[in-house]
Amino acid sequence: MRLGVIGDDFTGSTDIAGFLVANGLRTVQLNGVPEDALQVDADAVVISLKTRSCPPQQAIDESLAALRWLQARDCEQFFFKYCSTFDSTPKGNIGPVTDALLDALGEDFTVICPVLPVNGRTIYNGYLFVNGVPLNESGMRHHPVTPMTDANIMRVMEAQSRGKAGNVPSTVMDQGSRAVRAALAELKASGLRYAVLDALNDAHLAVMGEAVADMMLVTGGSGLADGMARAWIDLRGDAAKAAEGGKPVKGRAVVLSGSCSQMTNAQVAAYRAEAPSIAVDVSRCMEDEGYTAELAEWVKAQAQGGPAPMVYATMPPDELKKVQDRYGAAESSEAVERNFGRLAQLLEQAGFEQFVVAGGETSGIVTQSLGIKGFAIGPQIAPGVPWVRAVGKNLSLALKSGNFGQERFFFDAQEIAG
Ligand SMILES: Nc1ncnc2c1ncn2[C@@H]1O[C@H](COP(=O)(O)OP(=O)(O)OP(=O)(O)O)[C@@H](O)[C@H]1O
Ligand SMILES: O=C(O)[C@@H](O)C(=O)CO
């Protein structure tokens, strides 16, 4: 197998898997470390974990277990996928997991590359930008769990890891992969452990993809994977054929939105204007046992062949703050997640087959509640958001990272499903 990917969350994993498939690689995504006996026939396997904000030791243990499973399948190269906004804290988990993977592989050097230019995540002189704004000035500075207050990725990485970081600037990227290889060798020889790679555009992705072809472990966002896959001329196949196994099943659809990101707020507003929708009542999620069943009945009644009904907890930051002040941030978000998990189960029992879900945590809980062990990856709805089809179940899902997709994403998903 060419590539084994360890992803630190659900939607981030479908993001990278979608790019591999879009390059014609046969790709399978497995949710959690699978049983030893499982055999997979694919060019790439993505193991999705939920290790972005758990205690660092747990993230290390689970990532190493994933690595061992992938090693046993003779993967030629390993990719640690984290968020293109480098979601982490001075405790981790990107640094500690990268160090543990390097140690386990007997390596002492890797690249750090949280980029995805098509979605506005670029690096210049080691500084990460989100749609042209430095990371620390973007919405990420207010993230409840991993607030990002420094755009300098060398500094952020050094604060949570064991080694020192250098930069391969965009001027070197412009010179091509030989120059990048030489710059990497120089950084390594000078005792650095991590190289933060600049990327401003798709051409830079192709250059870095070629330059890291022989590196045992690489780390970053799906832009790097896109560049790597472009360099694998021998493996690249027909993208439509690679996406065949993940083609959405036909059936009744529902939209479940549990993300409060800026983009999801815009997507929910656009969808509400034209489709049946209902807002989640957080207090009833917390106190009323029968509430989820009531929501399920509403969804069933609204599924009349037009746009799919939407249940949304999405709210703008000021309203969310009021809810969190009143009920507690952890308590309210757990209650909302429980509600979406149970709702998905009730709707599956009622025969719903397409689930369009917004938010990484929300996608995680929905997938787990539906008992899904893995996905075949299908066609992309938007960069980084493919339709995926559950292994062993007649269910299709579109799992959207909070800030991904255009305003009409929920419509786009249904259009592509046909
Ligand atoms: N109205 C609400 N009140 C309280 N908590 C909420 C509400 N709406 C959503 N939440 C919680 O906020 C969290 C949103 O996280 P989620 O990962 O699903 O979205 P995101 O952070 O925007 O997405 P991503 O991680 O892909 O960027 C979930 O735990 C969800 O339950
Ligand atoms: O890299 C990204 O931005 C996404 O795949 C993601 O991980 C968001 O949670």
Side-chain angles (χ1 to χ4, degrees):
M1 191 146 18
R2 180 59 64 94
L3 189 68
V5 181
I6 302 166
D8 72 352
D9 90 336
F10 267 82
T11 47
S13 297
T14 48
D15 169 14
I16 188 168
F19 275 98
L20 295 171
V21 168
N23 278 290
L25 270 81
R26 295 173 308 128
T27 306
V28 169
Q29 181 174 335
L30 303 169
N31 301 326
V33 182
E35 288 155 19
D36 275 342
L38 183 77
Q39 288 307 323
V40 174
D41 177 26
D43 301 318
V45 173
V46 180
I47 297 185
S48 65
L49 303 175
K50 216 169 168 304
T51 47
R52 190 168 285 179
S53 46
C54 67
Q57 193 55 50
Q58 184 186 337
I60 290 172
D61 293 345
E62 288 184 26
S63 305
L64 289 178
L67 177 69
R68 281 192 293 273
W69 193 91
L70 292 166
Q71 282 177 309
R73 266 94 203 143
D74 293 330
C75 285
E76 291 166 32
Q77 208 173 4
F78 302 92
F79 194 123
F80 173 34
K81 161 71 179 66
Y82 41 76
C83 192
S84 61
T85 44
F86 212 70
D87 301 15
S88 55
T89 71
K91 290 207 173 106
N93 291 337
I94 296 174
V97 170
T98 301
D99 282 337
L101 294 173
L102 280 172
D103 289 349
L105 289 165
E107 298 283 320
D108 55 9
F109 188 74
T110 188
V111 292
I112 306 291
C113 191
V115 296
L116 188 53
V118 69
N119 281 353
R121 285 80 194 278
T122 53
I123 299 187
Y124 181 66
N125 287 346
Y127 286 80
L128 178 56
F129 291 82
V130 179
N131 293 319
V133 173
L135 178 65
N136 57 307
E137 292 177 28
S138 77
M140 284 306 295
R141 71 188 185 282
H142 298 308
H143 194 282
V145 187
T146 51
M148 301 307 293
T149 54
D150 189 357
N152 183 313
I153 298 303
M154 281 88 75
R155 229 169 13 223
V156 178
M157 184 64 186
E158 285 179 0
Q160 57 181 279
S161 63
R162 287 208 312 265
K164 292 276 173 213
N167 172 234
V168 181
S170 59
T171 46
V172 176
M173 289 292 159
D174 289 338
Q175 293 166 37
S177 58
R178 277 180 64 169
V180 175
R181 274 214 189 97
L184 290 171
E186 223 173 278
L187 292 175
K188 185 175 173 183
S190 68
L192 299 183
R193 193 167 160 85
Y194 324 106
V196 175
L197 304 182
D198 277 12
L200 301 178
N201 51 45
D202 268 10
H204 287 161
L205 300 183
V207 167
M208 65 174 67
E210 274 179 37
V212 302
D214 302 325
M215 204 174 259
M216 182 64 85
L217 175 73
V218 300
T219 83
S222 44
L224 172 61
D226 188 24
M228 289 166 67
R230 280 194 245 159
W232 296 331
I233 311 287
D234 56 325
L235 278 186
R236 289 190 57 164
D238 176 351
K241 209 163 149 212
E244 194 63 35
K247 251 175 65 180
V249 298
K250 300 279 175 220
R252 277 192 295 173
V254 62
V255 177
L256 305 176
S257 181
S259 157
C260 294
S261 72
Q262 210 172 348
M263 184 42 90
T264 307
N265 268 285
Q267 289 160 339
V268 164
Y271 197 69
R272 274 176 59 192
E274 294 175 43
S277 61
I278 189 165
V280 168
D281 180 333
V282 180
S283 71
R284 291 193 65 196
C285 285
M286 301 188 76
E287 290 152 13
D288 184 346
E289 284 281 311
Y291 178 56
T292 310
E294 228 175 81
L295 285 176
E297 289 308 317
W298 178 88
V299 173
K300 284 192 250 174
Q302 297 295 323
Q304 302 290 353
M310 170 173 70
V311 181
Y312 65 98
T314 307
M315 44 175 67
D318 50 338
E319 278 179 44
L320 179 64
K321 184 161 185 324
K322 279 187 209 147
V323 169
Q324 290 177 331
D325 288 346
R326 180 152 175 211
Y327 300 108
E331 291 80 356
S332 56
S333 85
E334 274 162 27
V336 168
E337 285 183 21
R338 248 195 332 271
N339 174 62
F340 277 126
R342 180 81 192 115
L343 180 58
Q345 286 173 337
L346 293 174
L347 292 174
E348 184 197 13
Q349 285 160 18
F352 280 73
E353 280 154 337
Q354 291 179 6
F355 292 80
V356 180
V357 188
E361 291 300 321
T362 311
S363 297
I365 198 79
V366 165
T367 308
Q368 278 170 355
S369 304
L370 292 173
I372 296 171
K373 303 254 183 306
F375 302 123
I377 309 298
Q380 299 232 42
I381 304 158
V385 199
W387 269 106
V388 297
R389 191 157 167 173
V391 172
K393 274 184 171 240
N394 201 39
L395 291 180
S396 282
L397 298 94
L399 306 175
K400 188 190 79 73
S401 289
N403 277 311
F404 281 9
Q406 298 303 314
E407 241 177 62
R408 290 186 65 82
F409 175 84
F410 297 136
F411 297 101
D412 298 343
Q414 291 168 62
E415 248 163 56
I416 287 181

